[in-house]
Amino acid sequence: MRSEFDKAISSATLTERAHVLALWSGIAIEAADPSGDEQVRRFQEGRLEAHALEWYQEREGRSW
């Protein structure tokens, strides 16, 4: 993965670098958290509990 990142950042223009860094920071976070794979499996099996943002806002008693 590191070589792919190096290639992406080195070939990006100055204005594209922020996008490349944002993209790869998400990839790095996902790669570091093995629970993401389990969440994908649960989604594919129809066992992932998911709600709209409004559900969480209502539950917390606030709006964002």
Side-chain angles (χ1 to χ4, degrees):
M1 287 178 82
R2 178 57 195 242
S3 64
E4 291 178 43
F5 168 77
D6 290 341
K7 183 179 177 184
I9 199 73
S10 68
S11 65
T13 65
L14 185 57
T15 56
E16 294 171 334
R17 288 189 178 188
H19 174 73
V20 170
L21 290 172
L23 174 67
W24 278 91
S25 69
I27 291 170
I29 290 168
E30 197 59 37
D33 183 4
S35 70
D37 292 341
E38 176 59 25
Q39 290 178 12
V40 169
R41 275 193 290 282
R42 288 175 47 212
F43 171 78
Q44 290 172 331
E45 295 169 355
R47 299 184 302 117
L48 181 65
E49 183 178 336
H51 305 282
L53 176 60
E54 294 79 16
W55 184 87
Y56 292 101
Q57 291 172 330
E58 200 171 291
R59 183 175 157 200
E60 299 275 325
R62 60 183 170 170
S63 62
W64 293 319

